[in-house]
Amino acid sequence: FIGIKVFEEFDLQTLIDRFDWSPFFRSWDLAGKFPKILDDEVVGESATELYADAQEMLQAIVKDKLITPKAVIGFWPANSIGEDIELYVDDKRQDVLATLHTLRQQVEQRREGKPNYALADFIASKDSAKADWIGGFAVTAGHELENIVEQYKQDNDDYRAIMLLALGDRFAEAYAECMHEKVRKEYWAYASDEALSNADLISEKYRGIRPAPGYPACPDHTEKDALFSLLDATSTTGIRLTENKAMLPAASVSGIYYSHPDSRYFAVGKIAEDQVIDYAERKGWSIDEAKRWLSPILQ
C-alpha cells in the first residue's frame, strides 16, 4: 500500500519473546552475552537475580496489560537524486511528497575498491527510470510506562523505576524488530519466504535495513521531522519530538526501511567543509545551522 498503517496495540508476550536481553544487562553495567551471562563467574549471580526480578515485572505487565504499545508504518514510491531521496505522492512519481537528505562517507577507505556509502545509494536513481520504494516506521512501548515509572519514583522505589525503564527499551526494540519482520514478509513482502530464528534476527541476518536518524548512517537528527510528518507519528502513536529531536516517550524507535539486497549499516564518520556546504544547500539551511546539527561529525 501507499501511505500509512497504524497499529493501536500488539501482543505483549510476542514482544517479550523477541527481546534481545544483552543490552538489558549492559544498562545495569553487567557485561556479557545472554544467556551465557547468567553463568558468568564474575557477574552471573547478579545477572541471575536481575533477570528473575525482570521476569516478575514482565508477568505483571502482561497480566494487567500495564502498557499499550503503538506503531505506525508507511511506504512511498521513491527515487534518489544524488544524495537526496525524493518520495512521491503516488505511482505516477510526478508530485514530490517529501525529500530525505543523506550524507556520504568522506574518509579514505582502507580497503581498495570499498565505496564511500550514502543511504541514497540503496534507492534507485531517478535517472535509471527504475521504480523504487522506501518505507518508514515509528513504534513506542506506550505512554503508560512513564506514568508507572513516575509512581515508582514517588514511592522512592528507584530500583523498580530503573528496571521498568530498561524493560521499556526492550519492548520498543522488540516492537521495531517485529514490525520490520512483518514488513519484509507481509506488507512489502520482498522476503515473504523468510524463516529466521530470534537469534538470526538479533544478528540482522535478514535482507534490508532500518537506519534511524541520529545514528551513524544518518547522523542528522532533524531528518526525524520529515519522517514524523510522513507518518503523522505524533497523532498516530503519541510520540513527540523535543527541541533537540529526542523522542518522548523515551522507549520509542523510529527509522527508514530500505529493501535493497546490498543495503547495509555504516558510519558516515567525519565530514569536511565541502559536504557541510552542500548539505546546507540541500536542506535550505545556513552554514551555521548545518554546523550546529552536524557538529559531532565535523572534521
Side-chain angles (χ1 to χ4, degrees):
F1 59 87
I2 296 175
I4 64 172
K5 182 177 179 64
V6 181
F7 299 80
E8 294 287 351
E9 58 182 33
F10 201 88
D11 181 64
L12 294 176
Q13 188 58 54
T14 299
L15 295 180
I16 292 169
D17 292 342
R18 287 298 181 84
F19 275 19
D20 177 4
W21 281 99
S22 297
F24 170 80
F25 292 105
R26 286 199 295 271
S27 70
W28 294 88
D29 293 327
L30 297 177
K33 192 171 182 180
F34 181 82
K36 290 183 178 180
I37 191 173
L38 302 179
D39 298 318
D40 186 89
E41 291 182 2
V42 179
V43 301
E45 185 176 346
S46 297
T48 300
E49 290 178 5
L50 195 64
Y51 185 63
D53 289 344
Q55 295 304 312
E56 184 181 340
M57 182 171 282
L58 288 173
Q59 287 177 11
I61 289 173
V62 173
K63 179 184 176 183
D64 298 327
K65 296 183 178 179
L66 296 179
I67 62 174
T68 308
K70 293 186 177 182
V72 58
I73 62 174
F75 305 104
W76 304 274
N79 284 111
S80 64
I81 302 177
E83 275 78 55
D84 288 343
I85 302 170
E86 284 188 348
L87 280 62
Y88 306 107
V89 172
D90 54 37
D91 254 340
K92 294 179 182 178
R93 298 172 185 265
Q94 295 175 349
D95 299 321
V96 177
L97 178 64
T99 301
L100 301 178
H101 306 87
T102 75
L103 288 159
R104 185 170 297 282
Q105 295 172 310
Q106 285 189 282
V107 295
E108 186 176 346
Q109 300 293 348
R110 294 180 180 179
R111 197 177 78 214
E112 188 176 345
K114 184 179 180 182
N116 282 34
Y117 289 111
L119 287 172
D121 296 343
F122 306 133
I123 299 293
S125 69
K126 196 169 185 177
D127 292 341
S128 73
K130 292 180 179 179
D132 209 346
W133 298 78
I134 200 167
F137 73 95
V139 304
T140 181
H143 288 269
E144 304 93 341
L145 189 141
E146 291 189 338
N147 295 332
I148 302 169
V149 168
E150 188 57 37
Q151 186 60 56
Y152 281 142
K153 289 180 178 178
Q154 290 179 13
D155 295 339
N156 294 317
D157 194 342
D158 290 339
Y159 177 72
R160 285 181 177 272
I162 296 170
M163 174 71 73
L164 187 55
L165 286 172
L167 291 175
D169 288 341
R170 293 305 88 214
F171 271 109
E173 293 291 348
Y175 203 1
E177 195 71 81
C178 284
M179 292 312 306
H180 196 186
E181 182 181 31
K182 283 184 170 293
V183 163
R184 296 190 303 272
K185 296 172 72 173
E186 299 175 33
Y187 297 115
W188 200 335
Y190 61 80
S192 56
D193 58 349
E194 177 185 290
L196 298 174
S197 67
N198 196 46
D200 290 335
L201 294 172
I202 291 171
S203 299
E204 299 170 354
K205 292 184 178 180
Y206 45 76
R207 171 182 158 183
I209 57 174
R210 55 171 191 272
Y215 280 74
C218 180
D220 176 15
H221 282 277
T222 69
E223 285 295 292
K224 288 177 193 158
D225 288 332
L227 176 61
F228 270 55
S229 177
L230 286 162
L231 296 168
D232 196 16
T234 299
S235 295
T236 54
T237 67
I239 307 171
R240 64 189 190 279
L241 295 176
T242 68
E243 234 179 77
N244 294 321
K245 310 307 176 186
M247 290 180 288
L248 294 176
S252 302
V253 183
S254 64
I256 306 292
Y257 292 132
Y258 293 82
S259 68
H260 196 289
D262 293 332
S263 60
R264 65 190 64 199
Y265 295 105
F266 60 89
V268 168
K270 298 295 184 181
I271 61 172
E273 184 84 5
D274 58 336
Q275 188 165 191
V276 175
I277 294 170
D278 174 72
Y279 194 70
E281 288 180 2
R282 289 190 280 128
K283 292 277 285 191
W285 283 349
S286 67
I287 301 297
D288 286 342
E289 189 173 11
K291 287 183 174 180
R292 179 168 73 88
W293 285 107
L294 301 177
S295 59
I297 62 168
L298 299 182
Q299 282 187 0

